[in-house]
Coordinates of all heavy atoms in Angstrom, one line a residue:
V163 N -3.9 -9.5 -2.5 CA -3.5 -9.6 -4.0 C -3.8 -8.3 -4.6 O -3.0 -7.8 -5.4 CB -4.3 -10.8 -4.7 CG1 -4.0 -10.7 -6.2 CG2 -3.8 -12.1 -4.1
T164 N -4.9 -7.6 -4.3 CA -5.3 -6.3 -4.9 C -4.3 -5.3 -4.5 O -3.8 -4.5 -5.3 CB -6.7 -5.9 -4.4 OG1 -7.6 -6.9 -4.8 CG2 -7.1 -4.6 -5.0
L165 N -3.9 -5.2 -3.2 CA -2.9 -4.3 -2.7 C -1.6 -4.5 -3.4 O -0.9 -3.5 -3.8 CB -2.7 -4.4 -1.2 CG -3.8 -3.8 -0.3 CD1 -3.6 -4.2 1.1 CD2 -3.8 -2.2 -0.5
L166 N -1.1 -5.7 -3.5 CA 0.1 -6.0 -4.2 C 0.1 -5.6 -5.6 O 1.0 -5.0 -6.1 CB 0.5 -7.5 -4.0 CG 1.8 -8.0 -4.7 CD1 3.0 -7.3 -4.1 CD2 1.9 -9.5 -4.6
T167 N -1.0 -5.9 -6.3 CA -1.1 -5.6 -7.7 C -1.1 -4.1 -7.9 O -0.4 -3.5 -8.8 CB -2.4 -6.1 -8.3 OG1 -2.4 -7.6 -8.1 CG2 -2.6 -5.8 -9.8
Q168 N -1.8 -3.3 -7.0 CA -1.8 -1.9 -7.1 C -0.4 -1.3 -6.9 O 0.0 -0.4 -7.5 CB -2.8 -1.3 -6.1 CG -3.0 0.2 -6.3 CD -3.6 0.5 -7.6 OE1 -4.6 0.0 -8.0 NE2 -3.0 1.5 -8.3
D169 N 0.3 -1.8 -5.9 CA 1.7 -1.4 -5.6 C 2.6 -1.6 -6.8 O 3.4 -0.7 -7.2 CB 2.3 -2.1 -4.4 CG 1.8 -1.5 -3.1 OD1 1.2 -0.4 -3.1 OD2 2.1 -2.2 -2.1
I170 N 2.5 -2.7 -7.5 CA 3.3 -3.0 -8.7 C 2.9 -2.1 -9.8 O 3.8 -1.5 -10.4 CB 3.1 -4.5 -9.1 CG1 3.7 -5.4 -8.0 CG2 3.7 -4.7 -10.5 CD1 3.4 -6.9 -8.2
E171 N 1.6 -1.8 -10.0 CA 1.2 -0.9 -11.1 C 1.6 0.5 -10.8 O 2.1 1.2 -11.7 CB -0.3 -1.0 -11.2 CG -0.8 -2.2 -11.9 CD -2.4 -2.3 -12.0 OE1 -3.0 -1.3 -11.6 OE2 -2.9 -3.3 -12.5
D172 N 1.6 0.9 -9.5 CA 2.0 2.3 -9.1 C 3.5 2.4 -9.4 O 4.0 3.5 -9.9 CB 1.7 2.6 -7.7 CG 0.2 2.7 -7.4 OD1 -0.6 2.8 -8.4 OD2 -0.2 2.7 -6.3
S173 N 4.3 1.4 -9.0 CA 5.7 1.5 -9.2 C 6.0 1.5 -10.7 O 6.9 2.2 -11.1 CB 6.4 0.3 -8.6 OG 6.2 0.3 -7.2
F174 N 5.3 0.7 -11.5 CA 5.6 0.6 -12.9 C 5.3 2.0 -13.5 O 6.0 2.5 -14.4 CB 4.7 -0.5 -13.5 CG 5.0 -0.7 -15.0 CD1 6.1 -1.3 -15.4 CD2 4.1 -0.2 -15.9 CE1 6.3 -1.5 -16.8 CE2 4.3 -0.4 -17.3 CZ 5.4 -1.1 -17.7
S175 N 4.2 2.6 -13.1 CA 3.8 3.9 -13.7 C 4.8 5.0 -13.3 O 5.0 5.9 -14.1 CB 2.4 4.3 -13.2 OG 1.4 3.5 -13.6
A176 N 5.4 4.9 -12.1 CA 6.4 5.9 -11.7 C 7.8 5.5 -12.1 O 8.7 6.2 -11.7 CB 6.3 6.0 -10.2
K177 N 7.9 4.5 -13.0 CA 9.2 4.0 -13.4 C 10.1 3.6 -12.3 O 11.3 3.9 -12.3 CB 9.8 5.0 -14.4 CG 9.0 5.2 -15.7 CD 9.7 6.0 -16.7 CE 8.9 6.3 -17.9 NZ 8.2 5.3 -18.6
K178 N 9.6 3.0 -11.3 CA 10.4 2.6 -10.1 C 10.3 1.1 -10.0 O 9.4 0.4 -10.6 CB 9.8 3.2 -8.8 CG 10.0 4.7 -8.8 CD 9.5 5.3 -7.4 CE 9.8 6.8 -7.4 NZ 9.4 7.3 -6.1
K179 N 11.2 0.5 -9.1 CA 11.2 -0.9 -8.9 C 10.2 -1.3 -7.8 O 10.0 -0.5 -6.9 CB 12.6 -1.4 -8.5 CG 13.6 -1.2 -9.6 CD 14.9 -1.7 -9.2 CE 15.9 -1.5 -10.3 NZ 17.3 -2.0 -9.9
A180 N 9.6 -2.4 -7.9 CA 8.7 -2.9 -6.8 C 9.3 -4.3 -6.4 O 9.8 -5.0 -7.1 CB 7.3 -3.1 -7.4
G181 N 9.2 -4.5 -5.1 CA 9.6 -5.8 -4.5 C 8.6 -6.4 -3.6 O 7.7 -5.7 -3.1
A182 N 8.7 -7.7 -3.4 CA 7.8 -8.3 -2.5 C 8.5 -9.5 -1.8 O 9.4 -10.1 -2.4 CB 6.6 -8.9 -3.3
V183 N 8.1 -9.7 -0.6 CA 8.7 -10.8 0.2 C 7.5 -11.7 0.6 O 6.5 -11.2 1.1 CB 9.4 -10.3 1.5 CG1 9.9 -11.5 2.3 CG2 10.6 -9.4 1.1
F184 N 7.6 -13.0 0.3 CA 6.6 -14.0 0.7 C 7.2 -14.9 1.7 O 8.2 -15.5 1.5 CB 6.1 -14.7 -0.5 CG 5.5 -13.8 -1.6 CD1 6.3 -13.4 -2.6 CD2 4.2 -13.4 -1.5 CE1 5.8 -12.5 -3.6 CE2 3.7 -12.6 -2.5 CZ 4.5 -12.1 -3.5
V185 N 6.5 -15.0 2.9 CA 7.0 -15.9 4.0 C 6.0 -17.0 4.2 O 4.8 -16.7 4.3 CB 7.1 -15.0 5.3 CG1 7.6 -15.9 6.4 CG2 8.0 -13.9 5.0
D186 N 6.4 -18.2 4.2 CA 5.6 -19.4 4.5 C 5.6 -19.7 6.0 O 6.6 -20.0 6.5 CB 6.1 -20.6 3.7 CG 5.3 -21.8 3.9 OD1 4.2 -21.7 4.6 OD2 5.7 -22.9 3.4
L187 N 4.5 -19.4 6.6 CA 4.4 -19.6 8.0 C 3.7 -20.9 8.4 O 2.9 -21.0 9.3 CB 3.7 -18.4 8.7 CG 4.4 -17.1 8.5 CD1 3.5 -16.0 9.1 CD2 5.7 -17.1 9.2
T188 N 3.9 -22.0 7.6 CA 3.3 -23.3 7.8 C 3.6 -23.7 9.2 O 4.7 -23.8 9.6 CB 3.9 -24.3 6.8 OG1 3.7 -23.8 5.5 CG2 3.2 -25.6 7.0
A189 N 2.5 -24.0 9.9 CA 2.6 -24.5 11.3 C 3.3 -23.5 12.2 O 3.8 -23.9 13.3 CB 3.4 -25.9 11.3
A190 N 3.2 -22.2 11.9 CA 3.9 -21.2 12.8 C 3.2 -21.2 14.1 O 3.8 -21.0 15.2 CB 3.8 -19.9 12.1
Y191 N 1.9 -21.4 14.2 CA 1.2 -21.4 15.5 C 1.7 -22.4 16.4 O 1.7 -22.2 17.6 CB -0.3 -21.6 15.2 CG -1.1 -21.4 16.5 CD1 -1.4 -20.2 17.0 CD2 -1.7 -22.5 17.1 CE1 -2.1 -20.0 18.2 CE2 -2.4 -22.4 18.3 CZ -2.6 -21.1 18.8 OH -3.3 -21.0 20.0
D192 N 2.2 -23.6 15.9 CA 2.7 -24.6 16.7 C 4.0 -24.2 17.4 O 4.4 -24.8 18.4 CB 3.0 -25.9 15.9 CG 1.7 -26.4 15.2 OD1 0.6 -26.1 15.7 OD2 1.8 -27.1 14.2
T193 N 4.7 -23.2 16.9 CA 5.9 -22.8 17.5 C 5.8 -21.5 18.3 O 6.8 -21.0 18.8 CB 7.0 -22.6 16.4 OG1 6.6 -21.5 15.5 CG2 7.2 -23.9 15.6
V194 N 4.6 -21.0 18.5 CA 4.4 -19.7 19.2 C 4.6 -20.0 20.7 O 4.2 -21.0 21.2 CB 3.0 -19.2 19.0 CG1 2.6 -18.1 20.0 CG2 2.8 -18.7 17.6
W195 N 5.3 -19.0 21.4 CA 5.5 -19.1 22.8 C 4.2 -18.6 23.4 O 3.9 -17.5 23.6 CB 6.7 -18.3 23.2 CG 7.0 -18.3 24.7 CD1 6.8 -19.3 25.5 CD2 7.4 -17.2 25.5 NE1 7.2 -19.0 26.8 CE2 7.6 -17.7 26.8 CE3 7.8 -15.9 25.2 CZ2 8.1 -16.9 27.8 CZ3 8.2 -15.1 26.2 CH2 8.4 -15.6 27.5
H196 N 3.3 -19.6 23.7 CA 1.9 -19.3 24.2 C 1.9 -18.4 25.5 O 1.1 -17.5 25.6 CB 1.1 -20.5 24.3 CG 0.9 -21.2 23.0 ND1 -0.1 -20.9 22.1 CD2 1.6 -22.3 22.4 CE1 0.0 -21.6 21.0 NE2 1.0 -22.5 21.2
H197 N 2.7 -18.8 26.4 CA 2.7 -18.1 27.7 C 3.2 -16.6 27.5 O 2.5 -15.7 28.0 CB 3.7 -18.8 28.7 CG 3.7 -18.1 30.0 ND1 2.7 -18.2 30.9 CD2 4.7 -17.3 30.6 CE1 3.0 -17.5 32.0 NE2 4.2 -16.9 31.8
G198 N 4.2 -16.4 26.6 CA 4.6 -15.1 26.3 C 3.6 -14.3 25.6 O 3.4 -13.1 25.9
L199 N 2.9 -14.9 24.7 CA 1.8 -14.2 23.9 C 0.7 -13.8 24.8 O 0.2 -12.7 24.8 CB 1.3 -15.1 22.8 CG 0.2 -14.6 22.0 CD1 0.6 -13.3 21.2 CD2 -0.3 -15.6 21.0
T200 N 0.3 -14.7 25.8 CA -0.7 -14.4 26.7 C -0.3 -13.2 27.6 O -1.1 -12.3 27.8 CB -1.0 -15.6 27.6 OG1 -1.4 -16.7 26.8 CG2 -2.1 -15.3 28.6
C201 N 0.9 -13.2 28.1 CA 1.4 -12.1 28.9 C 1.4 -10.8 28.2 O 1.0 -9.7 28.7 CB 2.8 -12.4 29.4 SG 2.9 -13.7 30.6
K202 N 1.8 -10.8 26.9 CA 1.8 -9.6 26.1 C 0.4 -9.1 25.9 O 0.1 -7.9 26.0 CB 2.5 -9.8 24.7 CG 2.7 -8.6 23.9 CD 3.5 -8.9 22.7 CE 3.9 -7.6 22.0 NZ 4.8 -7.8 20.9
L203 N -0.6 -9.9 25.6 CA -2.0 -9.5 25.4 C -2.5 -9.0 26.7 O -3.2 -8.0 26.7 CB -2.8 -10.7 24.9 CG -2.5 -11.1 23.5 CD1 -3.3 -12.4 23.1 CD2 -2.9 -10.0 22.5
L204 N -2.2 -9.6 27.8 CA -2.7 -9.1 29.1 C -2.1 -7.7 29.4 O -2.8 -6.9 30.0 CB -2.4 -10.1 30.2 CG -3.2 -11.4 30.2 CD1 -2.7 -12.4 31.3 CD2 -4.7 -11.1 30.5
R205 N -0.8 -7.5 29.1 CA -0.2 -6.2 29.3 C -0.8 -5.2 28.5 O -1.1 -4.0 28.9 CB 1.3 -6.3 29.0 CG 2.1 -5.2 29.6 CD 3.6 -5.4 29.4 NE 4.1 -6.7 29.8 CZ 4.7 -7.6 28.9 NH1 4.8 -7.3 27.7 NH2 5.1 -8.7 29.4
L206 N -1.2 -5.5 27.2 CA -1.8 -4.5 26.3 C -3.2 -4.2 26.9 O -3.6 -3.0 26.9 CB -2.0 -5.1 24.9 CG -0.7 -5.1 24.1 CD1 -1.0 -5.9 22.8 CD2 -0.3 -3.7 23.7
L207 N -3.9 -5.2 27.4 CA -5.2 -5.0 28.0 C -5.1 -4.1 29.2 O -5.9 -3.1 29.4 CB -5.9 -6.3 28.3 CG -7.3 -6.2 29.0 CD1 -8.3 -5.6 28.0 CD2 -7.7 -7.6 29.4
H208 N -4.2 -4.3 30.0 CA -4.0 -3.5 31.2 C -3.6 -2.1 30.9 O -4.0 -1.1 31.6 CB -2.9 -4.2 32.1 CG -2.7 -3.5 33.4 ND1 -1.7 -2.5 33.6 CD2 -3.4 -3.5 34.6 CE1 -1.8 -2.1 34.8 NE2 -2.8 -2.7 35.5
D209 N -2.7 -1.9 29.9 CA -2.2 -0.6 29.6 C -3.0 0.3 28.8 O -2.8 1.5 28.6 CB -0.8 -0.7 28.9 CG 0.2 -1.3 29.9 OD1 0.0 -1.3 31.1 OD2 1.3 -1.8 29.4

């Protein structure tokens, strides 16, 4: 909230537009491809 507020204030001071996108990830963890996520984390660890 602090970062968003600061961005809005900075844009307002510079007479520029500010935008924000809010995404609701309700139950997103339930739809994660767990095997793929595990493989990606293991690859990061190895590399």
